[in-house]
Amino acid sequence: MMATGTPDSQARFGQSVKGLLTEKVNTCGTDVIALTKQVLKGSRSSELLGQAARNMVLQEDAILHSEDFKEDGNNNNTPSVPARSYSEEVRKVAASLLSVAEIHQDVQNYYGNVLKKSADLQTNACVTPAKLVPKYIRETLKNVHEEVTSRYYGCGLVVPERLENCRILDLGSGSGRDCYMLSQLVGEKGHVTGIDMTKVQVEVAQTYLEYHMRKFGFQTPNVTFLHGYIEKLAESGIQKESHDIVMYESNCVLNLVPDKQQVLQEVYQVLKHGGELYFSDVYASLEVPEDIKSNKVLWGECLGGALYWKDLATIAQNIGFSPPRLVTADIITVENKELERVLGDCRFVSATYRLFKLPKTEPAKRCRVVYKGGILGHEKELIFDANFTFKAGAALGVDEETAAVLKNSRFAPDFLFTPVEAIQGGSALETKVIITRMGADNISTEWGPKSPLCSNQRPIQARRGV
């Protein structure tokens, strides 16, 4: 029967563990327990994580084989029960450290060194357009420096409406192309902050800041670029409730990070009440298998880390967002035969959603709304999502959820609201149903109209990938 160790040896074990957890890791200057907490929430430095993981294993081995961990006084070198338990836990934490570190390093290497231009991409997942880019957006893109544009690896350009004077945070801003486009739309009184984990990309963006401000005619720069992790926005100096809109509209950002819920939680914190997360990303038709996740090319190409579509609504609403509103989606095609074999039956779409952070007020009631018109680029018609298109001057019935979004967001001044009870005749609102065809016989029926990919059973609008 194995002994558990004498009281003295257990006390020394406790002191040794305490010493390990508070000891500074010499090579990175961060104590292990604090670093471990960072890892579980998203790290700032993959290099620090990797080194810390290796240091933890070395220190664990040293302590485990020290005099404190002998079974008893009979020179038995078998580790005690608490020592073995501690050993297992340390190795689990170390493995987590290395896993997160490797993902961050792989992504930084792929986007900083492997890819030099968009033509280097192996699939069309990162360049699939989510919807036709409006003329006014195309005009702003013409003003962006060609070097910045050439380093763009986005999964389609999607831009929300009514941006003038807004404060926007662009997640995974890359070379800064979209930030400079948004800079022109928010105007000199607005502000755009871009954050990216790849230092090389941030340096490209910062290099051309003065060039763009001069070209736009702005006296004061309205763009800031940060090198940091979107899982830890506060650590990069981004304040709570400081932004009207958070976007990741072009870089397939969410699926490139290990902890997707943490990203959405951070976004929720920095959004103002009434603020919006507007984003385009890649979603999988099933839980992505490990062989796909571990493929570095597929991860870098925005497929390996794709979120299972059923999980988005669950995660978002658990955090506090209103239900996701699907704007549009495109089926992704992979032309690379070798990668197709790895993917097997797993299929992907590039989808654009909008999530709103609404104030905790009384539930809104369904009503009829009239779009006043006049929003730049959407003067006569505002396509709000896959379910609602508002034509200027025309009344349209909306449900409680849509009414709450319109009344409590930046769109409130652009609409007239009339309660259903006040309408003569008071007939019940018609249920608005959009029927769209998938356009591909080989796509799983899970992508169909009843799919939670479409909030409130709104069907996906899908097209063949380009």
Side-chain angles (χ1 to χ4, degrees), residues 138-372:
R138 297 198 300 270
E139 292 300 318
T140 63
L141 291 173
K142 291 179 181 178
N143 296 325
V144 179
H145 195 281
E146 61 181 8
E147 172 66 15
V148 172
T149 300
S150 70
R151 297 299 296 267
Y152 164 76
Y153 312 126
C155 63
L157 177 62
V158 295
V159 182
E161 314 81 7
R162 206 183 192 281
L163 303 183
E164 188 176 1
N165 298 330
C166 285
R167 294 187 63 84
I168 299 177
L169 174 62
D170 184 17
L171 304 182
S173 52
S175 64
R177 189 201 74 162
D178 295 340
C179 288
Y180 288 127
M181 174 269 294
L182 293 167
S183 166
Q184 301 168 72
L185 298 178
V186 301
E188 198 165 7
K189 293 183 179 179
H191 192 273
V192 180
T193 298
I195 182 170
D196 200 277
M197 67 183 287
T198 306
K199 189 174 182 180
V200 174
Q201 289 283 69
V202 175
E203 289 172 348
V204 171
Q206 292 173 330
T207 298
Y208 295 97
L209 179 59
E210 185 177 343
Y211 166 87
H212 287 100
M213 294 303 102
R214 185 168 61 249
K215 189 173 185 65
F216 302 161
F218 294 165
Q219 298 298 315
T220 304
N222 71 342
V223 181
T224 302
F225 293 103
L226 301 174
H227 177 223
Y229 290 86
I230 63 175
E231 304 100 313
K232 301 296 289 182
L233 297 178
E235 289 189 359
S236 296
I238 301 173
Q239 302 297 312
K240 289 184 178 181
E241 299 182 6
S242 59
H243 286 78
D244 302 292
I245 304 167
V246 175
M247 302 169 56
Y248 58 90
E249 77 287 2
S250 61
N251 277 47
C252 299
V253 174
L254 188 62
N255 60 59
L256 290 178
V257 297
D259 192 342
K260 296 164 176 49
Q261 180 162 330
Q262 180 64 24
V263 175
L264 294 178
Q265 183 67 60
E266 290 284 309
V267 168
Y268 188 84
Q269 293 296 322
V270 303
L271 276 174
K272 299 177 182 178
H273 288 288
E276 176 184 14
L277 169 60
Y278 193 91
F279 60 109
S280 176
D281 219 307
V282 175
Y283 298 90
S285 61
L286 46 80
E287 292 282 356
V288 178
E290 285 302 321
D291 59 334
I292 296 178
K293 288 182 179 180
S294 61
N295 187 296
K296 293 183 179 181
V297 172
L298 288 174
W299 192 283
E301 294 278 335
C302 305
L303 299 183
L307 186 67
Y308 180 33
W309 56 268
K310 285 185 177 181
D311 293 338
L312 175 63
T314 300
I315 294 174
Q317 293 183 71
N318 285 345
I319 290 171
F321 283 107
S322 60
R325 308 182 73 90
L326 178 70
V327 179
T328 188
D330 293 274
I331 297 169
I332 291 172
T333 58
V334 179
E335 306 301 333
N336 185 304
K337 296 299 182 183
E338 182 179 347
L339 295 180
E340 281 185 340
R341 285 194 292 272
V342 176
L343 292 173
D345 294 331
C346 192
R347 293 174 174 81
F348 301 87
V349 294
S350 173
T352 301
Y353 281 98
R354 52 198 332 162
L355 296 175
F356 287 88
K357 177 182 177 178
L358 300 181
K360 308 300 181 184
T361 58
E362 290 295 320
K365 297 181 179 180
R366 59 182 185 170
C367 61
R368 291 195 183 276
V369 300
V370 177
Y371 172 47
K372 299 177 183 178

Side-chain angles (χ1 to χ4, degrees), residues 342-448:
V342 176
L343 292 173
D345 294 331
C346 192
R347 293 174 174 81
F348 301 87
V349 294
S350 173
T352 301
Y353 281 98
R354 52 198 332 162
L355 296 175
F356 287 88
K357 177 182 177 178
L358 300 181
K360 308 300 181 184
T361 58
E362 290 295 320
K365 297 181 179 180
R366 59 182 185 170
C367 61
R368 291 195 183 276
V369 300
V370 177
Y371 172 47
K372 299 177 183 178
I375 294 178
L376 177 64
H378 309 273
E379 289 82 0
K380 296 182 179 180
E381 180 182 83
L382 175 62
I383 302 176
F384 196 69
D385 57 26
N387 206 31
F388 289 100
T389 294
F390 302 103
K391 295 184 181 297
L396 183 66
V398 297
D399 56 80
E400 295 89 338
E401 175 195 318
T402 303
V405 168
L406 295 177
K407 287 182 177 181
N408 292 285
S409 67
R410 66 186 185 281
F411 294 99
D414 301 298
F415 286 86
L416 296 173
F417 300 88
T418 304
V420 172
E421 292 79 4
I423 301 174
Q424 188 173 4
S427 60
L429 294 178
E430 297 178 1
T431 302
K432 188 173 179 62
V433 178
I434 294 179
I435 300 176
T436 57
R437 188 170 179 271
M438 290 305 300
D441 295 333
N442 63 341
I443 299 301
S444 168
T445 55
E446 284 189 309
W447 294 113

Side-chain angles (χ1 to χ4, degrees), residues 44-60:
R44 294 175 300 174
S45 170
S46 57
E47 184 177 351
L48 294 185
L49 290 178
Q51 188 59 55
R54 286 181 278 275
N55 284 344
M56 287 181 72
V57 173
L58 291 174
Q59 292 181 52
E60 176 260 344

Side-chain angles (χ1 to χ4, degrees), residues 13 17 20-21 32 36 40 52-53 56-57 60-61 64 81-98:
F13 171 83
V17 172
L20 172 62
L21 294 178
V32 175
T36 303
L40 298 177
M56 287 181 72
V57 173
E60 176 260 344
D61 283 338
L64 195 59
V81 172
R84 284 187 289 104
S85 176
Y86 172 73
S87 171
E88 292 170 2
E89 291 304 312
V90 168
R91 289 188 178 276
K92 287 179 183 178
V93 173
S96 298
L97 284 163
L98 284 170

